């Protein structure tokens, strides 16, 4: 199986696949990742639309309120981005943009957890 590989010039040693080619790892067609994405959407829906936790009046501003569900959602998000980042680096998926996207997302989730 021969795939055209392009070297990303901005990060030495990082190799990406040309757009439109099949995913050599099978990663993007995995049902497990789709389920995890669905769980993340479900938690966001529960926290923002079904729960009144963030919308009711309280003693502190809304941005400072947390609950066990908040930390659960952030933990799932952090785990997702760590595994997805590792997979992108291991299989060279997405190139420099995906690496930067995952690093930024991990920084954001880490900041929210601290």
């Amino acid at each position: 199986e021969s795939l055209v590989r392009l070297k990303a010039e901005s990060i030495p040693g990082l190799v990406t696949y040309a757009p439109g080619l099949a995913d050599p790892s099978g990663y993007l067609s995995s049902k497990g990742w789709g389920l995890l994405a669905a769980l993340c959407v479900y938690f966001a829906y529960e926290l923002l639309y079904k729960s009144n936790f963030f919308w009711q009046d309280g003693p502190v501003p809304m941005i400072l309120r947390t609950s066990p569900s908040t930390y659960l959602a952030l933990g799932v998000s952090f785990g997702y981005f760590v595994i997805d980042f590792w997979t992108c680096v291991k299989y060279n998926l997405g190139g420099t943009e995906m690496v930067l996207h995952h690093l930024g997302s991990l920084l954001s989730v880490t900041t929210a957890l601290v």
Side-chain angles (χ1 to χ4, degrees), residues 2-48:
S2 65
L3 294 174
V4 176
R5 291 164 34 132
L6 305 171
K7 288 204 177 208
E9 295 178 12
S10 57
I11 298 179
L14 183 66
V15 178
T16 60
Y17 292 94
L21 294 177
D23 174 26
S25 66
Y27 164 74
L28 297 175
S29 61
S30 171
K31 293 178 183 169
W33 291 112
L35 176 62
L36 183 59
L39 285 173
C40 290
V41 170
Y42 171 76
F43 280 122
Y45 173 75
E46 285 289 326
L47 286 170
L48 295 175

Side-chain angles (χ1 to χ4, degrees), residues 9-112:
E9 295 178 12
S10 57
I11 298 179
L14 183 66
V15 178
T16 60
Y17 292 94
L21 294 177
D23 174 26
S25 66
Y27 164 74
L28 297 175
S29 61
S30 171
K31 293 178 183 169
W33 291 112
L35 176 62
L36 183 59
L39 285 173
C40 290
V41 170
Y42 171 76
F43 280 122
Y45 173 75
E46 285 289 326
L47 286 170
L48 295 175
Y49 293 107
K50 289 183 75 179
S51 168
N52 67 350
F53 182 75
F54 290 104
W55 308 113
Q56 64 189 359
D57 289 335
V60 295
M62 179 186 72
I63 60 170
L64 299 178
R65 297 183 204 168
T66 60
S67 73
S69 296
T70 306
Y71 289 110
L72 178 64
L74 287 171
V76 168
S77 296
F78 185 81
Y80 170 79
F81 278 110
V82 167
I83 298 298
D84 204 37
F85 174 74
W86 175 77
T87 306
C88 287
V89 171
K90 180 178 180 184
Y91 295 111
N92 302 315
L93 298 173
T96 306
E97 295 84 7
M98 284 299 281
V99 170
L100 293 175
H101 161 73
H102 284 83
L103 288 175
S105 298
L106 284 169
L107 179 64
S108 297
V109 174
T110 302
T111 303

